């Protein structure tokens, strides 16, 4: 409907922002655990067909791309001058792939030697991440119960991948998160190396022990390279205003309205949920007011 510019296409665009976030939640609540289970079965049976390797590669690629899709959906709330180009999206995809892949592999390796402890590992880290989200004073839902559900979901996503949920500079939080995950991956790999079956894993053990940390470090390097050389704000024309802030993620959020044709007067829609997330993901020291029908919504950036 949106592609053909038919009646109601504005409402379709409005809904796609909710769908993008739902796909992100589904990816880390269902697809990623299933991928870990798939790798776990391959490791435990010590048998794998070519189609299974292809399935693992496709699933990991799909997970990384879903993060990019969510990122691009958030950027739709930015001015056109801050649009993310496909080259920039490719780098964004690559560093997410190189960070998520080793994380998933390390969890699968750990579960292959200590399957009864992987649930404890998840619960402990999930609790830590959920409390960290609470400490960042997230304010996304309308009720206290809904907010804790949102924080629990954020904690689950952080178990696999990072994304920002609070206002302010994100460099410090990102460094803390990746340092913690790097240390956790090292512990998971060291545990697997200590308890592994020497005969079954002889063919690939050393390769994984060296390759996974190196891949994760390469992902961190590409992430730093992205923000230094491929970030969309670097491609903005110098004479355009306002200038973006120096925060690590993007900034200068613009809340975009979409109209719906319903036979009556066109009503202006504003996806408050995604706009609010974008306001946190892309920070700026400005206050932007947006109208939703007769109601006004104010998003403050610190």
């Amino acid at each position: 409907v949106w592609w053909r510019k038919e009646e109601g296409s504005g409402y379709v665009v409005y809904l796609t922002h909710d769908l993008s976030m739902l796909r992100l939640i589904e990816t880390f609540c269902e697809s990623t655990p299933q991928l870990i289970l798939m790798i776990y079965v391959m490791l435990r049976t010590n048998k794998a067909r070519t189609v299974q390797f292809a399935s693992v590669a496709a699933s990991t690629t799909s997970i990384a791309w879903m993060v990019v899709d969510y990122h691009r959906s958030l950027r739709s709330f930015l001015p056109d001058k801050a649009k993310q180009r496909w080259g920039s999206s490719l780098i964004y995809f690559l560093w997410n792939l190189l960070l998520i892949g080793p994380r998933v592999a390390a969890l699968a390796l750990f579960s292959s030697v200590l399957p009864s402890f992987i649930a404890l590992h998840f619960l402990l880290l999930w609790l830590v991440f959920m409390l960290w989200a609470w400490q960042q004073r997230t304010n996304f839902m309308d009720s206290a119960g809904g907010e804790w559900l949102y924080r629990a979901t954020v904690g689950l996503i952080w178990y696999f991948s990072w994304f920002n949920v609070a206002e302010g500079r994100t460099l410090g939080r990102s460094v803390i998160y990746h340092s913690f995950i790097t240390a956790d991956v090292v512990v998971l790999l060291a545990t697997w190396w200590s308890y592994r079956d020497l005969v079954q894993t002889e063919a690939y053990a050393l390769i994984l022990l060296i390759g996974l940390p190196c891949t994760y470090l390469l992902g961190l390097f590409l992430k730093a390279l992205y923000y230094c050389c491929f970030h969309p704000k670097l491609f903005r024309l110098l004479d355009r205003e306002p200038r973006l802030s120096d925060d690590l993620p993007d900034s200068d959020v613009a809340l975009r309205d979409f109209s719906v044709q319903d036979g009556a007067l066109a009503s202006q829609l504003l996806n408050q949920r995604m706009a609010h997330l974008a306001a946190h993901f892309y920070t700026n020291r400005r206050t932007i007011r947006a109208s939703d029908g007769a109601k006004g919504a104010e998003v403050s950036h610190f």
Side-chain angles (χ1 to χ4, degrees):
V1 171
W2 171 80
W3 184 262
R4 297 177 181 178
K5 305 298 181 184
E6 295 177 354
E7 182 179 351
S9 59
Y11 186 63
V12 172
V13 175
Y14 170 84
L15 292 178
T16 56
H17 297 298
D18 278 347
L19 291 175
S20 177
M21 185 174 186
L22 290 174
R23 284 196 299 266
L24 181 75
I25 295 174
E26 184 273 340
T27 294
F28 289 107
C29 288
E30 181 179 346
S31 301
T32 308
Q34 287 179 353
L35 175 60
I36 294 175
L37 177 61
M38 185 189 309
I39 300 175
Y40 165 82
V41 172
M42 294 167 60
L43 292 170
R44 292 286 289 185
T45 60
N46 201 32
K47 296 179 181 178
R49 296 175 295 173
T50 303
V51 66
Q52 289 176 298
F53 285 113
S55 179
V56 168
S59 298
T60 308
T61 301
S62 176
I63 292 170
W65 179 252
M66 198 54 59
V67 177
V68 179
D69 178 74
Y70 171 77
H71 176 76
R72 290 178 62 87
S73 179
L74 283 185
R75 292 195 66 83
S76 66
F77 289 92
L78 296 172
D80 291 340
K81 55 180 173 291
K83 281 288 187 178
Q84 186 175 30
R85 301 180 180 182
W86 282 107
S88 179
S89 296
L90 177 61
I91 301 299
Y92 195 93
F93 163 76
L94 286 176
W95 66 255
N96 274 283
L97 179 66
L98 295 178
L99 292 181
I100 294 174
R103 176 64 177 169
V104 169
L107 291 170
L109 290 170
F110 176 81
S111 62
S112 68
V113 294
L114 295 175
S116 58
F117 285 91
I118 188 64
L120 178 62
H121 177 268
F122 166 75
L123 289 175
L124 290 177
L125 266 65
W126 173 69
L127 180 61
V128 169
F129 288 141
M130 184 172 62
L131 292 177
W132 194 29
W134 168 75
Q135 190 272 336
Q136 295 183 36
R137 303 180 186 277
T138 61
N139 185 25
F140 181 65
M141 305 295 287
D142 296 329
S143 64
E147 191 63 36
W148 276 106
L149 177 61
Y150 171 68
R151 291 165 182 165
T153 305
V154 169
L156 190 149
I157 296 175
W158 278 347
Y159 186 71
F160 303 106
S161 180
W162 162 258
F163 78 111
N164 189 43
V165 296
E167 300 177 15
R169 297 182 63 85
T170 62
L171 177 58
R173 290 192 291 263
S174 181
V175 169
I176 293 173
Y177 173 83
H178 286 298
S179 299
F180 181 83
I181 292 298
T182 300
D184 186 62
V185 168
V186 171
V187 171
L188 292 175
L189 291 178
T191 303
W192 165 73
W193 181 266
S194 301
Y195 288 91
R196 67 190 173 92
D197 187 306
L198 297 180
V199 176
Q200 281 191 347
T201 61
E202 182 181 4
Y204 57 83
L206 188 60
I207 297 176
L208 292 180
L209 185 66
I210 299 175
L212 291 180
C214 290
T215 302
Y216 194 85
L217 292 177
L218 179 60
L220 291 177
F221 171 76
L222 284 181
K223 181 175 182 177
L225 183 67
Y226 167 83
Y227 285 110
C228 292
C229 304
F230 294 94
H231 198 280
K233 72 178 181 181
L234 300 176
F235 300 104
R236 297 173 61 228
L237 297 178
L238 296 179
D239 58 347
R240 291 188 175 182
E241 293 191 7
R243 293 186 60 82
L244 292 175
S245 69
D246 295 330
D247 288 349
L248 183 58
D250 305 279
S251 57
D252 202 4
V253 180
L255 306 183
R256 190 175 296 177
D257 289 342
F258 300 102
S259 61
V260 179
Q261 298 173 346
D262 55 1
L265 294 176
S267 59
Q268 296 297 319
L269 287 177
L270 175 64
N271 194 319
Q272 298 288 352
R273 289 178 293 273
M274 290 298 291
H276 188 71
L277 267 181
H280 288 172
F281 197 89
Y282 306 99
T283 58
N284 190 19
R285 302 170 183 267
R286 303 182 61 192
T287 298
I288 301 172
R289 297 180 182 272
S291 60
D292 181 10
K295 298 182 179 180
E298 183 179 84
V299 181
S300 299
H301 306 274
F302 302 94

